[in-house]
Amino acid sequence: MPSIRNSLSHTVRHTFRLILPVLALLAVAGLGVSFVTTRSARAWFEGELHTRARLATSAAGESIVRAERTGDPEAMARLLDAIVRDERVVAAAVCNARGVLAARTALLPAGNTLCSRAAGGAELPSSKVPGTTTKAVSSPTYISVVPVAADGVEQGHLIVLQELAPAREREALIRRGALIVLVMLALAFWVLTIVSARLTSIGWVRQLARALRGERMAGRGPGANSALLEGVRALAQRSSAAALEGDPDGRWTRERLRHVLAEHVGDAGVVVVANREPYIHEYRPDGSIEVQHPASGLVTALEPVIRTCSGTWIAHGSGSADRVTSDKDGRLRVPPGEESYLLSRVWMTDEEEQGYYYGFANEGLWPVCHLAYARPTFRTEDWAMYRRINQRFADAVVAEVSIDDPIVLVQDYHFALAPRMIREQLPEATIITFWHIPWPNSERFSICPWREEIIDGLLGSSIVGFHTPAHCNHFIDAADTFLESRIDRTTDAVVRSGVPTLVRPYPISVEWPLRKLEGVPSPEICRREVMQELELREDAILAVGVDRLDYTKGIEERFEAVERLLERNPSMRGRFSFVQLAAPSRTTIPRYRELRESVELSVQRINERFGDEQYRPIILLREHHEPERVFRFYRAADMCYVSSLHDGMNLVSKEFVAARSDEQGVLILSRFAGAAEELPEALIVNPYDLEEASEALERAAFMSSAEQADRMRQLRAVVAQNNVYRWAGRMLFDAAQLRQRARRNVTLDEHHTPGGVARA
Ligand code: ADQ
């Protein structure tokens, strides 16, 4: 009850708050109207009264003068009586040239001073005449003093008193009329306002309904460009995407992704553009051919997706046996034995690869995007190759697709220009570009001499995706800083030449459950086998690191943290071992060669300092390992240390969690990896801070099994939920929505354009 009362009194208060100012406004307007109409009506009527007095004077004036000169009071009285016969005239008098009252009608008192005042030129107000006693003159009277002349010479004045009451009545009548008109106008305005508000709200409700269905705002109609409606539409999209996640256990699965693809993507023909191919054919020394799986986070994430939607993967054919294992157009079906999708290989010369891949992408863009202390190098000839290869991949996309509006997933910093190049040839394509590495702040990005071209190339995309909201914001800021563009904060879009590109965070992840774990023994068996292989004692504490040998991964800092641990805690010596699986990477780039040397030197130094014949604190396995072996190490270890100095996401952290079905093992994770945002139950460290990092290693070594299980359970729940199917599903779902909307809009346009041509 109280709440009803409250809401009622709130409504009343609200209504009053709205109505009172309107009433006040009306009152002021009424007073104004009344004042103006009274003034003008009075002026008009007084003018009329005076005219009448003058008419009377001009009719009888000369006769009165003559009668006054001849001293004929009766004649004067007759003439004055004739004037007061008009019922509106109350009284009249004649003043001679000396200002003396010469004659008057009965109702005018004898001792009045009108004549002397008129002779003195005084203004005679319209008022009661002083000294009158009769009823007629007691009402307000208008007094006119009209000069009387004969032969052009003024001979005195005729004074005429007329009743003001009828004039006042007419004034009141006019005032009332004006007020009625005002009230009627106000009413009409009010009705019009209500009707137009109603009509507007009907339009709004329609637009809102469309927005809730996720449709684009119509170009016409009320609120067509409303930011609010756009916001509602974005919200509707998000909640509809969220609803997609609402399967019984709330998790994306391969089947669910397949279902989304079938339902929303349908015939779109998904094309992946990536530098790295998922299967590389290499000649062995004996001339036979082997298939390799590259150590790449991108491949790890995308391969399950493309398998699911049976699309096409366009990549650089980099293996020595790639040409002989594909057809004349560079195509083959993969994975071997399953053949569920098409791999289309693009060829390039060594010189092109050097400029595009090693040069511009990895000596220019990679260091500029990572805060990890390698000086970016930009060469004009590398840029030229980068452009050329981007164009080649864009052409390959056009050659592969069979419809006008395919969905194209462009992957990573190797293809910043390709989206615009694809867009030029396939204007209706839905292009999603995913940038797998961080996007730096604008000050840092300004180092790049071709920053405008890079950003413009990316804005050829329908959506540009990053791992974290921070990277999205940096990109939006860069577009704002370096290009002619408008930022739409409601939809998080960069609008260039009127065309929007959405900027979205899609945190990447791993499969769940991991197919790579099929065939990997249980954690106990893995531990036993790995301990044997590494010749570790039974009570050894084993930590693992798995990375490409890259300066952004903080491998040297990791080893220094191990060194610090052994310095601080002598009981760890002989017992604590760190095994590092390090895949050689970009070995032709000098900075990577330097890294390899310095990593090897620090391993040597630390092992000499704390190791002996039986004990090696750091075991460096500097090679590429097949996934099954990588996962054995994850399962065998007591902890995994990911010490990236800067990392877009980092999949190793998620793989480690996914591998630990025994809910044991501790993840130590750099705060500078995108994954740290999602995995707070890891021990989060600053890898530069050797004290903090070594303490975390120590803490992990002594963490109780119960605490490990508690943390690992939560980490696994997150990775299971935010798995790679969710990453791909959300991205493809967004792409499919844009595509559907574009199709609907095309249909609408054709509908509305006179002579529009129906599309095949
Ligand atoms: P990467 O820098 O390659 O990926 P990451 O995400 O850690 O980094 O993925 C590495 C992958 O390579 C993992 O699947 C790992 O198992 C595998 N790998 C590493 N070392 C290996 C070895 N020695 N032998 C075999 N396999 C090995 C980029 C970005 C990341 C982002 C991914 C995905 O730099 O931040 O997470 O893309 O978007």
Side-chain angles (χ1 to χ4, degrees):
M1 276 309 276
S3 75
I4 294 177
R5 234 192 343 262
N6 283 349
S7 88
L8 209 68
S9 75
H10 174 80
T11 312
V12 170
R13 271 204 312 277
H14 188 68
T15 313
F16 264 103
R17 224 177 292 147
L18 279 176
I19 284 181
L20 277 179
V22 177
L23 288 179
L25 214 74
L26 274 177
V28 170
L31 279 175
V33 165
S34 158
F35 179 74
V36 171
T37 48
T38 306
R39 285 287 297 263
S40 10
R42 182 163 298 174
W44 182 47
F45 287 133
E46 287 180 359
E48 201 184 313
L49 292 176
H50 198 65
T51 307
R52 196 181 299 136
R54 281 179 45 216
L55 281 175
T57 308
S58 63
E62 281 208 27
S63 310
I64 289 173
V65 168
R66 233 178 288 124
E68 202 266 334
R69 272 195 198 144
T70 54
D72 184 355
E74 280 175 16
M76 269 197 286
R78 260 197 322 275
L79 285 165
L80 287 179
D81 283 344
I83 291 172
V84 296
R85 227 168 278 141
D86 184 332
E87 61 184 14
R88 281 161 295 184
V89 179
V90 178
V94 178
C95 310
N96 65 20
R98 296 181 308 279
V100 177
L101 182 68
R104 61 181 173 82
T105 54
L107 288 178
L108 200 65
N112 75 72
T113 57
L114 288 174
C115 285
S116 55
R117 285 161 66 195
E123 282 276 313
L124 292 177
S126 53
S127 62
K128 282 203 296 183
V129 176
T132 50
T133 50
T134 61
K135 190 168 177 255
V137 184
S138 68
S139 63
T141 310
Y142 183 81
I143 306 169
S144 303
V145 179
V146 187
V148 183
D151 308 324
V153 181
E154 192 175 301
Q155 303 295 332
H157 292 93
L158 181 65
I159 295 180
V160 181
L161 281 76
Q162 298 178 70
E163 265 190 69
L164 266 177
R168 292 282 186 269
E169 271 163 31
R170 276 154 73 189
E171 262 173 46
L173 211 66
I174 290 177
R175 204 167 42 238
R176 260 202 306 281
L179 282 176
I180 287 170
V181 169
L182 179 79
V183 170
M184 281 173 60
L185 272 176
L187 273 175
F189 181 71
W190 181 63
V191 169
L192 267 176
T193 308
I194 286 187
V195 169
S196 81
R198 265 294 159 94
L199 289 175
T200 310
S201 78
I202 289 171
W204 262 79
V205 169
R206 281 206 190 117
Q207 292 276 5
L208 210 61
R210 299 191 64 199
L212 285 168
R213 288 197 299 271
E215 293 173 19
R216 187 183 289 283
M217 299 300 103
R220 296 178 293 273
N225 296 317
S226 153
L228 179 65
L229 285 173
E230 275 301 333
V232 170
R233 191 169 61 84
L235 201 68
Q237 271 173 15
R238 259 176 248 147
S239 62
S240 132
L244 272 173
E245 294 179 36
D247 66 340
D249 63 358
R251 184 177 297 166
W252 277 88
T253 59
R254 195 166 178 229
E255 285 61 46
R256 180 146 205 91
L257 177 61
R258 210 195 291 277
H259 173 75
V260 168
L261 290 169
E263 190 177 334
H264 297 281
V265 177
D267 61 346
V270 177
V271 179
V272 167
V273 180
N275 175 70
R276 191 58 65 90
E277 48 183 347
Y279 298 94
I280 308 175
H281 289 91
E282 292 283 1
Y283 281 117
R284 291 200 190 95
D286 64 1
S288 63
I289 293 173
E290 68 172 1
V291 184
Q292 285 184 359
H293 308 102
S296 148
L298 180 155
V299 172
T300 308
L302 264 182
E303 220 255 335
V305 175
I306 199 79
R307 267 186 189 190
T308 306
C309 66
S310 310
T312 303
W313 184 305
I314 302 176
H316 171 208
S318 59
S320 53
D322 272 357
R323 279 185 196 262
V324 296
T325 47
S326 38
D327 69 14
K328 64 174 179 26
D329 297 318
R331 293 156 150 193
L332 72 157
R333 292 203 78 81
V334 287
E338 193 182 307
E339 279 86 37
S340 55
Y341 67 94
L342 191 72
L343 172 59
S344 173
R345 286 167 167 158
V346 171
W347 312 114
M348 59 184 86
T349 64
D350 289 349
E351 190 199 3
E352 285 169 339
E353 186 182 6
Q354 178 55 45
Y356 138 79
Y357 179 76
Y358 292 106
F360 192 75
N362 284 312
E363 284 192 279
L365 284 179
W366 177 270
V368 109
C369 289
H370 289 91
L371 301 175
Y373 313 105
R375 182 180 177 281
T377 306
F378 293 105
R379 303 180 196 92
T380 310
E381 49 286 16
D382 291 348
W383 171 244
M385 287 303 172
Y386 187 82
R387 290 180 62 92
R388 184 195 290 184
I389 296 300
N390 269 251
Q391 188 65 60
R392 190 169 300 163
F393 273 79
D395 295 344
V397 171
V398 178
E400 283 300 339
V401 299
S402 51
I403 54 173
D404 290 344
D405 60 348
I407 292 180
V408 185
L409 301 179
V410 178
Q411 300 300 310
D412 229 349
Y413 60 101
H414 311 98
F415 298 113
L417 304 179
R420 174 73 65 214
M421 293 166 169
I422 297 169
R423 169 76 59 225
E424 275 160 11
Q425 299 181 71
L426 293 171
E428 288 165 38
T430 304
I431 304 169
I432 303 202
T433 303
F434 192 79
W435 195 262
H436 289 257
I437 62 176
W439 188 278
N441 66 38
S442 293
E443 199 176 356
R444 188 171 171 90
F445 194 66
S446 69
I447 295 172
C448 178
W450 296 282
R451 56 193 176 238
E452 288 89 359
E453 288 88 335
I454 301 268
I455 300 168
D456 181 60
L458 286 167
L459 292 179
S461 319
S462 320
I463 305 177
V464 177
F466 296 93
H467 292 302
T468 69
H471 301 159
C472 292
N473 291 340
H474 283 166
F475 177 74
I476 290 176
D477 186 52
D480 201 18
T481 308
F482 300 119
L483 285 193
E484 282 273 310
S485 59
R486 182 172 66 79
I487 307 304
D488 184 339
R489 300 274 169 201
T490 331
T491 54
D492 285 332
V494 179
V495 185
R496 175 124 164 105
S497 310
V499 182
T501 297
L502 304 180
V503 183
R504 293 276 180 275
Y506 300 106
I508 207 166
S509 192
V510 294
E511 285 177 277
W512 194 282
L514 261 174
R515 268 183 306 170
K516 285 178 185 166
L517 276 175
E518 288 165 13
V520 178
S522 69
E524 303 82 63
I525 297 175
C526 288
R527 182 171 177 85
R528 207 177 323 126
E529 289 178 357
V530 167
M531 294 300 228
Q532 269 172 11
E533 180 188 329
L534 301 179
E535 298 175 346
L536 299 176
R537 52 193 245 201
E538 247 182 44
D539 67 341
I541 297 167
L542 181 63
V544 68
V546 179
D547 307 81
R548 286 181 306 97
L549 203 41
D550 194 297
Y551 55 85
T552 61
K553 303 293 180 183
I555 298 171
E556 290 163 289
E557 288 75 4
R558 188 177 306 176
F559 294 164
E560 282 167 16
V562 172
E563 184 177 23
R564 184 74 194 107
L565 170 74
L566 299 178
E567 266 171 15
R568 286 161 28 122
N569 191 335
S571 74
M572 287 286 182
R573 297 176 196 166
R575 203 173 158 212
F576 184 95
S577 288
F578 197 106
V579 60
Q580 175 66 47
L581 278 57
S585 183
R586 306 167 193 169
T587 46
T588 61
I589 297 177
R591 180 70 182 87
Y592 284 79
R593 287 203 298 269
E594 265 171 37
L595 175 77
R596 177 188 157 170
E597 279 162 25
S598 64
V599 161
E600 281 176 353
L601 280 175
S602 70
V603 172
Q604 201 181 340
R605 180 174 53 75
I606 297 165
N607 282 350
E608 278 172 7
R609 186 171 169 202
F610 294 107
D612 54 31
E613 297 252 306
Q614 280 84 45
Y615 170 62
R616 284 177 297 165
I618 297 176
I619 303 161
L620 178 63
L621 303 179
R622 204 180 51 72
E623 61 201 306
H624 175 269
H625 304 267
E626 282 304 296
E628 200 249 349
R629 186 166 155 75
V630 173
F631 279 86
R632 277 174 185 262
F633 278 89
Y634 287 142
R635 283 195 154 171
D638 295 295
M639 67 190 82
C640 174
Y641 182 21
V642 173
S643 55
S644 311
L645 304 182
H646 201 191
D647 218 333
M649 175 54 71
N650 188 278
L651 289 178
V652 168
S653 53
K654 296 188 172 181
E655 287 174 351
F656 175 68
V657 168
R660 298 314 297 249
S661 50
D662 58 345
E663 296 179 348
Q664 291 295 293
V666 181
L667 174 64
I668 305 167
L669 178 57
S670 160
R671 65 174 69 252
F672 306 123
E677 280 184 25
E678 278 179 275
L679 305 175
E681 283 78 22
L683 300 182
I684 305 290
V685 297
N686 172 358
Y688 292 96
D689 183 344
L690 298 184
E691 291 305 317
E692 185 180 89
S694 61
E695 271 170 29
L697 289 170
E698 188 172 342
R699 187 168 164 207
F702 293 111
M703 190 180 283
S704 71
S705 171
E707 186 179 347
Q708 290 185 38
D710 191 33
R711 286 173 180 270
M712 189 51 81
R713 250 196 303 276
Q714 296 189 54
L715 291 169
R716 284 172 67 78
V718 171
V719 178
Q721 183 72 28
N722 301 350
N723 57 37
V724 76
Y725 299 116
R726 177 175 180 262
W727 172 74
R730 288 163 57 129
M731 219 157 53
L732 285 165
F733 179 73
D734 286 352
Q737 273 211 326
L738 286 184
R739 182 168 176 265
Q740 275 165 12
R741 211 170 300 142
R743 283 188 160 189
R744 262 200 302 268
N745 285 352
V746 167
T747 321
L748 263 176
D749 287 350
E750 280 166 0
H751 225 66
H752 288 132
T753 312
V757 184
R759 283 147 45 88

